[in-house]
Amino acid sequence: MSSTLRAHPSAKWWALAIISLTQLVVVLDGTIVNIALPQAQAALGMDDHMRQWVVTAYALAFGALLLLGGRIADYWGRKRTFLVGMVGFGLASLFAGMANAGWELVLGRALQGVFAAMLAPAALALLTTLFPSGRQRNTAFAVFGTVAGAGAAVGLVLGGFLTEFLDWRWCLLVNLFFVIVCLVGGALFITESKAEGDNRYDLWGALLVTVGLGSLVYGFSIAETGWANPLTIAFLAVGVVLLGVFVWVETKVGNPLLPLRVVADRVRGGAFLIQAVAGSVMIGATLYLTLHLQIVLGMGALQAGLASLPLPLGTMVLAPIATRMLGTVGPRPMLIGGPLVVAAALVYLSFITPGGDYLVEIAPALLVMGFGMAFVFIPLQNVALTGVAPHDAGVASAVTNSAMQIGGSIGLSVFTAVYAARVGAHAPADVDAAVLTSGYGATFLAAAVGMVVASVIAITMVRGRAEDLLPRGADEQAAVLAH
């Protein structure tokens, strides 16, 4: 029965739905717990340091293990890795949702990150092999990119709803519904694929990059205690050294974990850098916007989540237009202009005031940010994976996701330092709504600078003709050139 289903012409579109749903789960789990943290902290008796680790554990395990997860998907089988990762993610979510102590919740979140590191590259590699070129690929990546771009905001809305009307535990247990749907759909509609040829694992490379990225992410996660903190410096230094050794090792081994050809290509490398900047802005801006909505404007969890909806709605509204433009103007103009639109919205958002009207000061900026992000995320996935050999599809997908996670961690620490510098200049007794708002505004301005940098990266690195930046069939190339 499953072979008949897979042979049906619509099967790959059902597979796209399952893969996109998987990406939604992976992305929204980075934010869905954020709104529920105060309730979880009180219920489990966690101190502020352990509360931080509920968020950090997921990003740390996810970002550090993505490359290894990508190679496992390539070598062991992408569908097999997808299904095993989904089962593990569901069990980890159940464990975290039933936690009776803070350390259990942190451990559950770390396990979620481990299995997400298997899921994310397997899903994207499956998408790449399912839609190898042409207009269907553009449409598929438009759907996938929209889901990826909106996932963080969807997590905030869903987290707010579940926290307010049910219990904080449901922010984790809700994953079981997604897992069941994805397991059934994956078994029915996804076909197996894996890399051919030499499939030996680069164990030294895996160890170096995992510990190196883990050290780097952890160093940035504790940087809010001070950039001069010896512990911060030590972890960052160890991370940089280990990653340097990793690059050296990858040039020496016969079957590297990360073939340097995947990241050495100028266009693809530029796409990875833009992905990192976009991740930092989405994660950082979303967090500080949530703080402003709840702490300064006094919104409840659900109200704050709903107030962030203009951002994903803007992305979804512009997604069809961005998809059509991808086949005509090409990705380069979109990757230059999209970040500038987001930067303009962030500059506008930086002028928020303590008593400002949400509909005047915040909603328009979020809507325009969503518009701009549509022109970033939709072409980005295509460009990042264009020209990648089937043997490297999983690892290239892993780098794309890792760039988002590592970029988000680094960006958030930078924004936190900017916020702390602005608020820390005042005595604790003087920190009122006006001072907090000033700190949030400073982070939005820093995020705007980051998006301008992303545009500069696109100008200098994402270069070439439109037909060279996107995989197409010969007939479609001719049609595009005729326009």
Side-chain angles (χ1 to χ4, degrees), residues 81-169:
T81 303
F82 175 87
L83 295 176
V84 171
M86 189 62 71
V87 171
F89 190 84
L91 293 175
S93 299
L94 178 62
F95 178 82
M98 300 299 291
N100 292 312
W103 70 268
E104 293 179 352
L105 179 58
V106 171
L107 176 59
R109 290 285 287 167
L111 290 173
Q112 280 185 310
V114 170
F115 289 105
M118 295 176 66
L119 276 178
L124 194 51
L126 285 166
L127 187 65
T128 303
T129 55
L130 197 60
F131 298 92
S133 65
R135 291 181 181 175
Q136 288 190 347
R137 177 187 172 102
N138 293 345
T139 301
F141 274 85
V143 173
F144 188 85
T146 301
V147 170
V154 172
L156 290 171
V157 176
L158 184 59
F161 178 86
L162 294 173
T163 300
E164 192 149 321
F165 292 105
L166 295 174
D167 184 76
W168 67 268
R169 296 180 184 275

Side-chain angles (χ1 to χ4, degrees), residues 29 35 56 77 105 199 243 272 299 310 364 404 448 457 480:
D29 255 74
I35 288 181
T56 302
L105 179 58
N199 288 345
L243 291 177
F272 292 147
M299 293 185 180
M404 176 75 80
I457 292 171
V480 171

Side-chain angles (χ1 to χ4, degrees), residues 419-427 430-431 435:
Y419 169 79
R422 180 66 64 91
V423 175
H426 299 78
D430 297 329
V431 176
V435 173

Side-chain angles (χ1 to χ4, degrees), residues 186-400:
L188 291 176
F189 300 113
I190 293 176
T191 56
E192 184 62 281
S193 69
K194 60 182 178 179
E196 302 300 329
D198 189 356
N199 288 345
R200 289 175 299 173
Y201 288 99
D202 171 18
L203 297 180
W204 277 111
L207 179 63
L208 285 167
V209 75
T210 300
V211 179
L213 283 177
S215 180
L216 199 63
V217 171
Y218 181 70
F220 276 108
S221 74
I222 61 174
E224 63 184 67
T225 61
W227 291 99
N229 184 332
L231 199 59
T232 300
I233 296 173
F235 274 103
L236 292 178
V238 169
V240 169
V241 170
L242 289 178
L243 291 177
V245 175
F246 166 72
V247 171
W248 178 79
V249 167
E250 297 307 274
T251 65
K252 303 298 181 183
V253 297
N255 195 35
L257 178 69
L258 174 60
L260 296 184
R261 60 182 176 270
V262 172
V263 294
D265 177 81
R266 183 183 65 185
V267 172
R268 198 178 303 122
F272 292 147
L273 290 174
I274 295 171
Q275 183 90 330
V277 175
S280 73
V281 171
M282 287 298 290
I283 293 173
T286 300
L287 174 62
Y288 281 100
L289 173 66
T290 303
L291 294 176
H292 178 72
L293 294 175
Q294 294 189 76
I295 297 175
V296 176
L297 299 186
M299 293 185 180
L302 177 59
Q303 190 179 4
L306 292 173
S308 68
L309 274 179
L311 177 54
L313 288 178
T315 301
M316 288 185 284
V317 168
L318 262 289
I321 298 174
T323 303
R324 288 194 293 271
M325 289 179 63
L326 188 61
T328 54
V329 304
R332 186 170 188 262
M334 298 168 68
L335 290 175
I336 293 173
L340 294 179
V341 172
V342 177
L346 287 165
V347 170
Y348 180 87
L349 196 59
S350 71
F351 290 103
I352 53 175
T353 59
D357 191 313
Y358 165 80
L359 293 177
V360 175
E361 292 190 349
I362 298 175
L366 292 181
L367 191 61
V368 174
M369 277 183 66
F371 292 161
M373 281 300 180
F375 291 103
V376 174
F377 284 114
I378 286 175
L380 202 55
Q381 298 286 359
N382 260 296
V383 173
L385 297 176
T386 294
V388 174
H391 193 80
D392 296 328
V395 71
S397 305
V399 175
T400 302

